[in-house]
Amino acid sequence: MTEDSTSTSPGSHLLGPADVRRLAAELDIRPTKKLGQNFVHDPNTVRRIVSAADLRPDDVVLEVGPGLGSLTLALLPSCRALVAVEIDEVLANRLPLTVAERAPDLANRLSVVHADAMRVTAAQMPVPPTALVANLPYNIAVPVVLHLLAELPSLRTGLVMVQSEVADRMAAGPGSKVYGVPSVKLAWYADARRAGPVPRSVFWPIPNVDSALVAFERHPPLSTVDQRQLFSLVDAAFAQRRKMLRGALSGWAGSAAEAERLLVAAGVDPAVRGEQLGVSDFVRIAEVASSR
């Protein structure tokens, strides 16, 4: 233990700034922008994340990109099991040792999957996860969340730390300037909200962007419409944001006339823009299109 070690109950000693730097030096790790690596080194921040995640004692947590284990150590006392998905082999191999050293009574709760979170499958999960809690790399945050929600129907809730602007887009509603493709696609699976800012100073190295927490809770399926068809519709609607939907969807529908017909049949004004529609509106359009 170092002087930065901080206890949490029961039986887990969190990583402080000196611990994080010592582990990184031991592993000869230099955080890379390519992998979006910014390690959290503030115990109060990881405690706050665990509290905001509102976990149940029987939850199985999925943590993406656990890195050196700062958040992992804080999560273990609050869940039944934790599955950590780590793409970096060195970090994946070291994490069980860190947990064994700093939370020996909780080490049996941890499973590590050495995989790319963008491609990980349900079959790779040792137990179906129920809650996603993660500090996500900024460049792939939205695709990772959407992939995991699609691939893992057992996921009930989530709390992710992402770039502040990404958090705004994920939680935005129709009519907002930042409402767009991520907002609609996430809304297909879950209800999302911003859950607070995260200061830059809690990371090492300090990033040049602000961060924020986004919480989401999965809702019942909105429709039996094919998700791929719905998402292609959403992509088309926002590809040319300034166009009215009858024009923006002309390529997707086959012609502007067909786009207008589908929109009218779905009860949507062909003269509105995509940013004015909620996910339920897009679902209606996709349902009409699928019945052609």
Side-chain angles (χ1 to χ4, degrees):
M1 304 282 169
T2 76
E3 62 187 41
D4 274 314
S5 299
T6 309
S7 294
T8 190
S9 60
S12 185
H13 294 273
L14 304 184
L15 299 175
D19 300 311
V20 168
R21 285 171 173 77
R22 176 183 56 77
L23 272 171
E26 172 196 320
L27 301 174
D28 194 25
I29 284 177
R30 296 170 181 81
T32 67
K33 287 186 178 180
K34 181 180 178 182
L35 293 179
Q37 289 173 321
N38 296 94
F39 300 123
V40 180
H41 60 54
D42 177 57
N44 288 329
T45 296
V46 293
R47 287 195 193 96
R48 175 185 160 211
I49 292 171
V50 174
S51 176
D54 196 23
L55 297 171
R56 302 173 181 174
D58 62 344
D59 268 325
V60 175
V61 171
L62 173 62
E63 184 186 3
V64 171
L68 296 170
S70 296
L71 181 55
T72 312
L73 289 165
L75 285 166
L76 282 169
S78 299
C79 60
R80 175 167 64 89
L82 188 150
V83 180
V85 175
E86 176 57 67
I87 192 172
D88 187 305
E89 185 174 9
V90 172
L91 292 173
N93 290 338
R94 184 61 170 86
L95 186 60
L97 301 178
T98 301
V99 170
E101 292 167 0
R102 309 183 74 88
D105 295 338
L106 305 174
N108 63 345
R109 298 185 183 183
L110 174 70
S111 301
V112 179
V113 177
H114 176 215
D116 181 350
M118 285 286 292
R119 295 177 174 83
V120 72
T121 66
Q124 291 174 274
M125 297 290 112
V127 58
T130 59
L132 171 65
V133 186
N135 170 25
L136 294 176
Y138 295 147
N139 51 344
I140 59 168
V142 172
V144 163
V145 169
L146 294 176
H147 168 70
L148 294 174
L149 283 168
E151 179 65 23
L152 303 171
S154 60
L155 278 179
R156 174 182 55 83
T157 64
L159 183 75
V160 293
M161 183 156 51
V162 297
Q163 185 175 342
S164 185
E165 289 80 1
V166 174
D168 290 338
R169 290 196 289 272
M170 291 173 74
S176 165
K177 290 182 179 179
V178 295
Y179 179 71
V181 171
S183 323
V184 181
K185 290 183 178 179
L186 182 53
W188 165 250
Y189 295 107
D191 299 314
R193 61 179 175 81
R194 274 189 64 123
V198 179
R200 302 183 186 192
S201 58
V202 306
F203 297 97
W204 175 74
I206 296 175
N208 55 11
V209 294
D210 292 317
S211 299
L213 297 171
V214 175
F216 59 84
E217 184 168 353
R218 190 190 290 267
H219 52 59
L222 299 177
S223 169
T224 57
V225 72
D226 182 70
Q227 178 247 52
R228 289 169 296 180
Q229 182 179 24
L230 176 71
F231 281 13
S232 70
L233 162 63
V234 173
D235 289 336
F238 286 95
Q240 303 174 77
R241 290 182 70 106
R242 295 189 178 185
K243 278 194 173 184
M244 293 183 290
L245 277 176
R246 70 160 66 93
L249 298 181
S250 59
W252 175 82
S255 69
E258 178 63 3
E260 181 159 354
R261 186 190 73 80
L262 294 174
L263 289 164
V264 171
V268 175
D269 181 354
V272 303
R273 294 178 173 83
E275 64 202 43
Q276 296 170 266
L277 301 188
V279 65
S280 60
D281 299 311
F282 285 107
V283 166
R284 290 200 313 276
I285 299 167
E287 286 174 341
V288 170
S290 67
S291 65
R292 282 191 286 184

